[in-house]
Amino acid sequence: MKTNVAALGSLLLSVFSFNAMAAESNSPQYLSDWWHQSVNVVGSYHTRFGPQIRNDTYLEYTALARKDWFDFYGYADLPVFFGGNSTAKGIWNKGSPLFVEIEPRFSIDKLTDSHLGFGPFKEWYFANNYIFDAGRNSDSRQSTWYMGLGTDVDTHLPMSLSLNVYAKYQWKNYGATNENEWDGYRFKIKYFVPITPLWGGNLSYVGFTNIDWGSSLGSDSARDINGNHIRSNNSVASTHILTLNYAHWHYAAVARYWHHGGQWTDGATLNFGNGNFTTRNTGWGGYFIIGYDF
């Protein structure tokens, strides 16, 4: 959770990078004509997935692919690779050395050799979203598997739109009360809109929103000194990106809004041994990304 929000910004970047690279998919200047990959430097500001606001600058590898029945996005982060604020722990300062998220989808239409689409729904997928935070010990690790149904939507507009709905199985969760159980659901919407050629590249808008609900984490969590649950049963993270893509380089500015980010209750009063502080898990943060596609 601590780096997930920045990684999600990179996810969006990869979605629109794929669209730019697809037109050059047969070009020998890339290592693969279908496994599209990049390395990125990501700077994050005021991310809100943990109980304390976090700033971080880190190194990231991303991959995006679509071939036959297989649709894939994934990334691997090295948290705090280039530094961060005092609460940002990562690879060099006894925090997590690795954070990974993958989103494989498998086309039900193609695997069953049938056409299941109807109305605006073009194709259906067995959709997955797996998150792993390596952590340094058991209480600093996360392992979460979302699984469900996904579809691509025909908008009849110059934009792409996909929808996924998942049930969540929670293994490790930084020592929280909902470990090793089914716990809640997620709805994910992703969209890509090309805007205009600009400065020799292509300017695009990409967005996605995760809506989590139905968890028992908030109800089962401890209370703060004011009697409020410190965790929430629901959360929202909504990301909005402007990206400028070239043949190899890409640049993105990202704005993200959280509501109870990371399922931490906004406004709870906590104390981790250094005095009381109030969680600020509802609000805006941002990222800037520079990446190279190869």
Side-chain angles (χ1 to χ4, degrees):
M1 286 185 183
K2 294 178 182 177
T3 57
N4 191 29
V5 59
L8 289 175
S10 299
L11 164 61
L12 297 179
L13 173 63
S14 296
V15 173
F16 41 69
S17 292
F18 169 72
N19 284 270
M21 291 190 298
E24 302 178 272
S25 61
N26 295 320
S27 171
Q29 61 186 323
Y30 300 109
L31 295 182
S32 172
D33 63 356
W34 70 278
W35 185 262
H36 307 293
Q37 54 194 332
S38 66
V39 61
N40 310 295
V41 175
V42 182
S44 66
Y45 176 73
H46 276 197
T47 63
R48 302 169 190 264
F49 269 109
Q52 295 174 300
I53 283 180
R54 177 186 176 103
N55 304 320
D56 185 5
T57 305
Y58 57 92
L59 190 66
E60 179 177 80
Y61 166 83
T62 64
L64 187 73
R66 183 155 189 162
K67 189 175 180 66
D68 299 327
W69 47 266
F70 184 55
D71 182 45
F72 178 85
Y73 167 76
Y75 64 84
D77 291 344
L78 302 180
V80 200
F81 191 89
F82 301 106
N85 64 2
S86 61
T87 62
K89 304 299 181 183
I91 186 171
W92 310 122
N93 59 348
K94 300 181 180 180
S96 173
L98 180 68
F99 188 97
V100 175
E101 181 171 7
I102 60 173
E103 293 188 25
R105 299 196 307 172
F106 307 95
S107 171
I108 300 172
D109 294 50
K110 291 183 173 65
L111 288 172
T112 60
D113 194 25
S114 57
H115 178 67
L116 302 176
F118 62 92
F121 304 109
K122 297 189 292 185
E123 190 171 356
W124 294 90
Y125 301 87
F126 172 48
N128 300 268
N129 186 178
Y130 178 71
I131 299 168
F132 175 71
D133 186 347
R136 297 282 180 174
N137 54 57
S138 179
D139 287 340
S140 63
R141 295 190 187 117
Q142 179 190 12
S143 179
T144 307
W145 182 17
Y146 298 90
M147 65 197 81
L149 190 65
T151 187
D152 295 330
V153 178
D154 186 356
T155 64
H156 299 290
L157 296 170
M159 67 175 291
S160 62
L161 176 66
S162 68
L163 310 174
N164 301 286
V165 62
Y166 313 94
K168 178 179 72 174
Y169 190 83
Q170 186 68 67
W171 282 289
K172 300 300 296 182
N173 190 21
Y174 310 108
T177 58
N178 64 339
E179 292 188 336
N180 300 308
E181 64 181 37
W182 292 96
D183 184 54
Y185 307 91
R186 166 172 288 184
F187 174 69
K188 180 191 292 283
I189 178 171
K190 298 196 292 185
Y191 34 89
F192 164 82
V193 182
I195 298 176
T196 185
L198 181 67
W199 300 328
N202 294 298
L203 182 67
S204 303
Y205 165 68
V206 182
F208 83 67
T209 298
N210 290 330
I211 301 172
D212 296 320
W213 81 97
S215 170
S216 63
L217 179 59
S219 303
D220 296 339
S221 68
R223 297 178 183 269
D224 70 0
I225 60 175
N226 298 314
N228 302 311
H229 283 290
I230 65 174
R231 305 302 297 265
S232 172
N233 290 336
N234 56 77
S235 67
V236 176
S238 185
T239 309
H240 308 273
I241 301 174
L242 282 176
T243 177
L244 183 61
N245 289 345
Y246 295 90
H248 284 288
W249 291 96
H250 54 255
Y251 310 88
V254 183
R256 185 159 198 178
Y257 179 77
W258 289 264
H259 177 72
H260 296 320
Q263 289 186 247
W264 288 90
T265 301
D266 184 61
T269 301
L270 304 178
N271 190 326
F272 290 165
N274 296 312
N276 290 350
F277 68 93
T278 300
T279 57
R280 296 161 60 191
N281 286 74
T282 294
W284 288 91
Y287 309 84
F288 185 76
I289 304 168
I290 300 174
Y292 184 81
D293 306 310
F294 61 95

